[in-house]
Amino acid sequence: MSKNMIRSITIIAIFFCLLWLLGLGWAVGDYYAGKPDKPPQTTGVVTKAENKKGLTVVALGDSLTRGTGDETGKGYVGVLVDEIKEKTKQPVQLTNLGINGQRSDQLKRQIVQTEVGRQLKKADVILVTIGGNDLFRSGQGLMDFQTGDIATIEKKYLNNLKFIFEQIRKQNKEANVFFIGLYNPFINLGQGKEMSKVVRHWNYDSAEVSAEFPKVVFVPTFDLFELKVNDYLYSDKFHPNTKGYRLIAERVASLLTW
């Protein structure tokens, strides 16, 4: 093969190589020129508000929140959730943080926990029962109570209650809060009338604290148990039975608006 022919073939090969490189450069340039800085969102992604389905209920407090004494296991919280589902035709997510025997000072410590705060932030409805164990000493009653002792106990309780509501509103300014008042389970005992006076005064002061905060509703229950208390108490004569819890749930449900 002559040198001229080799030179010609080499030139042609170089030409086609350059042509191929030029085409590759255009293709790569077109690709990156048309590619966005960030990958596009997929069509299935929705905002947090859009992604939320139904309502969220968070319950705080003592054994009434747990439903102790209800043979069905629902308590007033469970019955109320059923009522909400029926009324709104929406699914309801319930987080029950109640603790048997809990006093207001213990709830005060619980409510500042990180996980509790996270649950409160998500809530549409917040339910609270607290104070019965402060006043009745976890079911022991007021058999030997003294006015001065009750006043001291109540003062501490009201300060704790105020702190609890402050924390709830700090975490969630929009949720409706329903605070369940006390009934008198000892109304038929010897000092029943004196105890009722104490409970009514306790409820009045609790309602006053509740009124200091927006969207916090005090829910009275004293009248529900007053006339037939034994019909609505569990065998321990302290906690509500299934009928008693249903009375409380229906009272709360009557206050709900959607």
Side-chain angles (χ1 to χ4, degrees):
M1 183 179 295
S2 67
K3 292 182 179 180
N4 290 335
M5 184 172 292
I6 293 173
R7 188 166 47 250
S8 299
I9 292 173
T10 301
I11 292 171
I12 293 172
I14 292 172
F15 172 77
F16 280 108
C17 182
L18 290 174
L19 186 62
W20 178 82
L21 289 173
L22 182 62
L24 179 61
W26 284 340
V28 172
D30 287 343
Y31 173 77
Y32 281 106
K35 185 177 181 180
D37 293 335
K38 296 180 180 180
Q41 296 290 330
T42 59
T43 56
V45 174
V46 294
T47 65
K48 181 178 179 181
E50 292 170 338
N51 194 39
K52 182 176 180 179
K53 295 181 179 179
L55 300 168
T56 300
V57 175
V58 174
L60 300 164
D62 49 30
S63 53
L64 268 67
T65 293
R66 296 307 309 174
T68 300
D70 187 349
E71 295 179 354
T72 69
K74 287 186 175 183
Y76 92 91
V77 174
V79 175
L80 180 61
V81 166
D82 289 344
E83 294 270 354
I84 294 173
K85 289 178 182 177
E86 178 64 26
K87 196 169 186 178
T88 65
K89 306 302 181 184
Q90 296 185 60
V92 178
Q93 178 183 337
L94 170 63
T95 300
N96 192 323
L97 300 173
I99 299 174
N100 288 334
Q102 183 154 249
R103 301 183 308 271
S104 62
D105 60 318
Q106 295 169 319
L107 179 55
K108 179 181 176 180
R109 293 193 293 271
Q110 181 192 18
I111 205 164
V112 297
Q113 295 174 4
T114 302
E115 178 57 24
V116 174
R118 191 178 73 84
Q119 295 297 334
L120 290 173
K121 281 183 171 68
K122 301 188 300 181
D124 299 297
V125 174
I126 299 171
L127 307 171
V128 183
T129 63
I130 202 67
N133 293 312
D134 295 66
L135 178 59
F136 297 128
R137 291 171 293 181
S138 302
Q140 296 178 36
L142 304 174
M143 301 305 295
D144 57 350
F145 76 93
Q146 299 293 325
T147 304
D149 294 338
I150 294 299
T152 300
I153 292 170
E154 186 186 18
K155 183 177 180 180
K156 293 178 180 178
Y157 156 76
L158 293 174
N159 287 335
N160 292 336
L161 186 63
K162 185 174 182 179
F163 179 87
I164 290 164
F165 288 147
E166 286 173 348
Q167 290 302 305
I168 289 175
R169 278 292 161 251
K170 179 180 178 181
Q171 299 294 346
N172 189 326
K173 295 185 180 353
E174 298 301 325
N176 292 320
V177 180
F178 294 94
F179 176 47
I180 314 303
L182 301 185
Y183 57 90
N184 180 13
F186 308 110
I187 197 169
N188 286 338
L189 299 182
Q191 290 180 301
K193 290 184 178 180
E194 288 79 4
M195 292 180 193
S196 289
K197 290 179 181 178
V198 172
V199 174
R200 283 196 294 266
H201 180 75
W202 185 282
N203 282 334
Y204 176 83
D205 290 342
S206 298
E208 288 294 294
V209 172
S210 304
E212 296 177 15
F213 298 86
K215 295 187 176 182
V216 176
V217 179
F218 179 83
V219 182
T221 64
F222 184 92
D223 60 307
L224 299 177
F225 291 78
E226 186 174 12
L227 297 180
K228 295 183 178 181
V229 65
N230 288 327
D231 289 352
Y232 302 122
L233 291 181
Y234 183 54
S235 58
D236 63 4
K237 299 303 179 182
F238 183 64
H239 293 96
N241 58 20
T242 301
K243 292 180 180 178
Y245 278 117
R246 180 164 291 279
L247 287 178
I248 296 172
E250 290 174 349
R251 174 63 60 82
V252 180
S254 69
L255 300 172
L256 292 171
T257 56
W258 304 102

